[in-house]
Amino acid sequence: FANSVAQAFHGVNASILTAATNLPRLHGMRASAVMAIAAAGRIYVAGVGDCRTYLIRGDEAQRMTNDQTLFQLMSDAGLDVTRDHDVRSPRLVWTCLGDRNLELPHVRCEEIQHGDRLILVSNGVTRVVKDGLLQRLSTTNKDPVAMAAAVVNAARTLKTRDEATCVTVEFQAAGRSSH
């Protein structure tokens, strides 16, 4: 499944590039994206750009994707950058859909546990909602619909400049096929 997830990004990227070639008004079109597939008792997650996926297990929120932004690169390199600086500064995305040199994303795989929740958010959320706030929202909003609404409302309250989108999924039962 991991290879299929990575290849799905390649296929979408090829479609965007073809559309931009055939329709000049779409030239330079770019998009960030995340996706998740649940199969055989596992979750497969990948992303490009600055959308994110989080796994909520118990009361802990764990980021499952890494942003492909200059801020993330600087942070990963150990440079002293603050999240507040990231919110005020333009986010330089170094790879996304619509890029001729798209690097296939790293696919992360986790075994599903009963009660796990998956949260997929657009860059309109990631630019203004800090991980700590998302953690608090996930603790106080156990219902997936309430959680999605709370995340979008938080992004709007924090004056996101982009479309704020949140999709949540809750896994009620975990298990593997006996074959």
Side-chain angles (χ1 to χ4, degrees), residues 32-120:
S32 293
V34 290
M35 73 177 293
I37 294 176
R42 296 189 173 277
I43 307 166
Y44 298 86
V45 174
V48 295
D50 56 352
C51 295
R52 293 185 189 150
T53 301
Y54 293 86
L55 173 64
I56 310 297
R57 183 167 281 160
D59 286 335
E60 294 295 317
Q62 176 185 20
R63 193 186 307 180
M64 293 189 71
T65 54
N66 288 325
D67 297 350
Q68 283 90 34
T69 61
L70 180 58
F71 176 81
Q72 185 70 52
L73 287 174
M74 291 173 16
S75 180
D76 291 349
L79 297 174
D80 186 21
V81 292
T82 65
R83 179 73 176 141
D84 290 336
H85 173 76
D86 181 42
V87 170
R88 290 190 311 268
S89 302
R91 293 175 79 141
L92 300 174
V93 176
W94 54 269
T95 192
C96 59
L97 296 171
D99 182 347
R100 292 197 182 285
N101 299 311
L102 176 72
E103 295 176 26
L104 290 181
H106 169 74
V107 178
R108 183 155 170 200
C109 179
E110 286 282 332
E111 190 167 325
I112 298 171
Q113 295 181 13
H114 178 76
D116 279 352
R117 290 183 289 156
L118 207 58
I119 300 171
L120 295 88

Side-chain angles (χ1 to χ4, degrees), residues 141-178:
N141 295 283
K142 300 294 184 182
D143 175 70
V145 174
M147 176 63 188
V151 169
V152 170
N153 287 335
R156 288 181 181 148
T157 299
L158 294 168
K159 307 278 191 248
T160 186
R161 293 181 184 168
D162 292 311
E163 186 66 33
T165 306
C166 178
V167 174
T168 60
V169 178
E170 183 174 83
F171 296 94
Q172 293 296 321
R176 296 181 185 198
S177 171
S178 59

